[in-house]
Amino acid sequence: MNKAIKNGSAKSMPDAFIILFIVVLLAAIATHIIPAGKFNTELNPETGKKILVTDSYQVVESYQGVPLFSESGEVGFFNFAFEGMVSGDKWGSAIGVMMFIILTGGAFGIVMQTGAVDNGILALINKTQRLERLFIPILFTLFSLGGAIFGMGEEAIAFCIVLLPLMLAIGYDSITTVLVTYVATQIGFAASWMNPFSVAIAQGIAEVPLLSGMEFRIIMWFVLTIIGVIFTMKYAAKIKANPELSPNYNVDIKIQKNTKSQVAQTFSKADSVILLSFFIAIAWVIWGVIAKGYYIPEIASQFFTMGIIIGFIAILSKRLNVNQVANAFKKGAQELLPAAMIVGMAKGIVIILGGDQADEASVLNTILYTASNVIGELPTVLSALLMFIFQSIFNFFIASGSGQAALTMPLMAPLSDLVGVSRQIAVLAFQLGDGLTNLIIPTSASLIGCLGVARIDWGVWAKFIAKFMLVIMSAASLFIITAVMINFA
């Protein structure tokens, strides 16, 4: 084992909390340099929601930069962690996603403590060794479809927990687990032809027929998904041939040791009942998302219910006692607490910059207005590419697809008319910029959640995924150029 692996590559990278703190510090400084602004809004009679009025930007002279500390519930630099963690509601970031991560982690802690998943994995590997090569392309394609069809994102966190021991048992690593789950969902999310949380909202705001341009987007989804599958398969094959090449090797070894200590020697009837209950719960979650539109509150409750039922089965089968079930829940939740905290603290960046409301004083509004003016002065192809770049950068601050669409599309759509780019291309630039950068930005709750359950430090992940980001972003740029050349509308 070489020295770099022995010492651990993560030690050379700053902890995710340190990186986040530096970003918040820069955001706080920016509030004293960049003036805040706001737009006028009006009520859309069809949706009942506020929409941004173009050409209504105005600087708010009374806005003061963020202080070091604030009282009475106001926002200050040292308030960002608490304010970020309590922001939002149960339907989304930050508090909703945080509780989703903690509850789901506790529920899966019970499942994993029974040893049924580990025993099932070993039995599956023994019986399906010849089908092993199909795991990655099949899983990647299914998760990509999930992102494309119903905007799968946060749900990947739970599947990372499920698939991590399977991937490690096969001979892959934790990074492969995140690639086939979260990365696949975000490629599908970015290249979607029908995602209700990004494409549909953006097309509605841009006054483009809903689900129009489907043929072009399906081709784009297929190509980008193939790129992802090939990259993942090549990486997984390299790791299986030489596990020590994994950037997360030392951490994976510890996970495997902990897993092996819990594995029983044989696959029993109790394992069968536990796994059957587990798969029924997973099917229930999938049905809820697709058929009923379930989101964070319902999914978290579904997994909590699963944990209770499987804990009850483990007690009846004498696999665990009552206190062991409780301790497994606490341990599972505890292991995911850092990931949940980062989700909340990342939201603090947006709060420090003034929030994401168009009609309230915010540095983000000024950044948006300035960028739109710069883009409007450039040639057609370059304007389209800069729209893509701008949406990619802006996604660092507003990682929500629907939130970014609501804030940026009212400006990007009319801007595209001025520079000779169709509004369909403006939507394309938005969805690609919004979706693909979710693969690396530390402000993405879903990414941080998946990295947390896979025990991957964000610094390690950023260094690993950078090369793939270059490839996938280049491919996306070529699709935008092609869209301009064929006048995609």
Side-chain angles (χ1 to χ4, degrees), residues 112 117-118 121 160-170 177 259:
M112 298 307 297
V117 172
D118 304 309
I121 289 169
C160 280
I161 302 176
V162 176
L163 292 174
L164 179 60
L166 172 61
M167 290 297 176
L168 295 179
I170 291 175
T177 305
T259 299

Side-chain angles (χ1 to χ4, degrees), residues 421-473:
V421 174
S422 72
R423 294 193 171 197
Q424 193 73 266
I425 294 175
V427 173
L428 189 69
F430 154 74
Q431 68 179 101
L432 288 170
D434 168 56
L436 294 180
T437 46
N438 285 333
L439 301 181
I440 195 170
I441 57 172
T443 51
S444 168
S446 304
L447 172 61
I448 296 302
C450 287
L451 295 182
V453 301
R455 319 296 195 276
I456 304 171
D457 184 82
W458 180 83
V460 173
W461 174 257
K463 185 177 180 180
F464 164 79
I465 203 66
K467 184 182 295 184
F468 178 71
M469 286 293 298
L470 181 61
V471 173
I472 203 75
M473 296 291 277

Side-chain angles (χ1 to χ4, degrees), residues 380-457:
T380 305
V381 173
L382 192 55
S383 294
L385 287 174
L386 279 182
M387 284 182 179
F388 169 52
I389 294 172
F390 170 73
Q391 296 284 11
S392 299
I393 296 173
F394 203 80
N395 192 46
F396 182 91
F397 303 102
I398 308 293
S400 165
S402 56
Q404 186 175 340
L407 193 57
T408 63
M409 287 312 298
L411 281 180
M412 293 295 110
L415 177 63
S416 66
D417 298 335
L418 296 175
V419 299
V421 174
S422 72
R423 294 193 171 197
Q424 193 73 266
I425 294 175
V427 173
L428 189 69
F430 154 74
Q431 68 179 101
L432 288 170
D434 168 56
L436 294 180
T437 46
N438 285 333
L439 301 181
I440 195 170
I441 57 172
T443 51
S444 168
S446 304
L447 172 61
I448 296 302
C450 287
L451 295 182
V453 301
R455 319 296 195 276
I456 304 171
D457 184 82

